[in-house]
Amino acid sequence: MPELPEVETVRRGLAPHLEGRRIESARLNRPDLRFPFPPRFAERLAGRTILPLARRAKYLLVPLGGDDMNGETLVIHLGMSGRLLIEARESRDPLGEFHHETGRLPQHDHVEIALEGGKRIIFNDPRRFGFMLLEPSETLDAHPTFAGLGVEPLGNAFSADHLLARFAGRRTPIKLALLDQRHVAGLGNIYVCEALHRAGIAPARAAATLTASEAERLAAEIRVVLEEAIAAGGSTLKDYRHEDGSLGYFQHAFRVYDREGEPCPKPGCGGTISRRVQGGRSTFFCEECQR
DNA sequence: AGGATACCCTGACCGC
DNA sequence: TGCGGTCAGGGTATCC
C-alpha cells in the first residue's frame, strides 16, 4: 500500500506529465470516496493550470493556478488501494471490463481528469480508503488534515533529539508511537516494522525507554529505509502499479514485513520472524535481535 | 487528554 | 463451484 516512498514516487512520476498543463475538465463517477468530494469539485478543477507537485506525509499536493492570486491545492490521499494513472484518451476501455494492461477494474475509476493535449489522469481505488480535498493553498497548513501533522522523516527537523523529545513520558509501545502521525508524519506499518528491525529495537517497548544512542540509530534507519525505497522507485504490494500503469514494476524486498516464520535476515542472528498484533495491526519483528 | 477500539471498503485467500 | 469467514490497513470518530 502507498506509504511515503510510494507517494513520493508517484509525485516524481506524475510531475513531468502534469506540471504546467491545464486541466480541461474533470469527471466524478461517484459522489464520494472515503468522504464526499468537495463541493463543485469538477467545476473548480476545470480550467486550472497545474503548478509544481509537492508532498506532505502521505498526501500528494497538486497546487493549481487560478485567474487571481487565490489558488487552490488539490490534495490526494491514496488510502490503501488508490492508484493514479496516466492514459491517452483513446485507450479507455468500456466500463466494467478488466483493464488488461494495468490490471485494474474500470468500475473503480472514480475520478477522471482530462488534461489539455489529450491525456487523462485516472484515480482508481477499489477500497475507497482514499480521499481528495480542494483547499486554498494559502491556508492549507491550517486545515485540520495538516494542522496536527508531525515533522517529515526526511526533513531537517527530524532527528534523534526530536524522537527523544516527542517520546518522553510516553508509555505507548514505540511501534504505535512511530505510527502516530503527530510525532512523525508519513510512516506506515511496513516501514515502521522495517526501521525497528534495522535499528534492533523491540516494537513493544515503551516509547519513553528509548535511549539516546538508540534514538540516533532509529532516526538514521528510518531515513535509510525510506530513502532506499524511494531510490528503488517505491515499494509495491499486491495491487500497486506504477503511476503510468506499466507492469513489471519494481518489487521491494522487505526484511521482516509479511515474513512470519522466516529466518531473521540479520547476519548471524539465527532468530525467526514473529508476528504480533499491536493497535489492531500486525507487527513483524525478530525477538532475538530486537531488544 | 491520552489511549484504545470500531469503522469504512473490496479483493484475496482459505476452509468446507 | 460457491459460499462464508477472515484479513489487510490510514485516518477518523467515539469511547473510556
Side-chain angles (χ1 to χ4, degrees), chain A residues 127-149:
Chain A
R127 291 183 215 178
R128 303 208 301 278
F129 271 32
F131 61 92
M132 296 189 186
L133 306 172
L134 188 54
E135 295 289 330
S137 304
E138 196 100 347
T139 56
L140 200 59
D141 289 344
H143 188 275
T145 298
F146 297 98
L149 283 184

Side-chain angles (χ1 to χ4, degrees), chain A residues 68-148:
Chain A
D68 47 28
M69 298 302 286
N70 304 316
E72 294 184 300
T73 293
L74 169 62
V75 178
I76 302 175
H77 196 290
L78 299 173
M80 290 295 304
S81 57
R83 289 193 268 162
L84 284 166
L85 304 101
I86 299 251
E87 281 195 345
R89 196 192 304 263
E90 56 271 19
S91 74
R92 180 182 174 76
D93 286 353
L95 207 63
E97 279 184 22
F98 185 75
H99 192 282
H100 294 282
E101 186 189 339
T102 63
R104 79 179 198 277
L105 292 167
Q107 64 260 37
H108 301 309
D109 287 353
H110 306 311
V111 181
E112 305 177 34
I113 296 174
L115 299 176
E116 208 169 40
K119 283 184 177 173
R120 294 186 312 140
I121 311 165
I122 296 163
F123 179 80
N124 178 280
D125 186 6
R127 291 183 215 178
R128 303 208 301 278
F129 271 32
F131 61 92
M132 296 189 186
L133 306 172
L134 188 54
E135 295 289 330
S137 304
E138 196 100 347
T139 56
L140 200 59
D141 289 344
H143 188 275
T145 298
F146 297 98

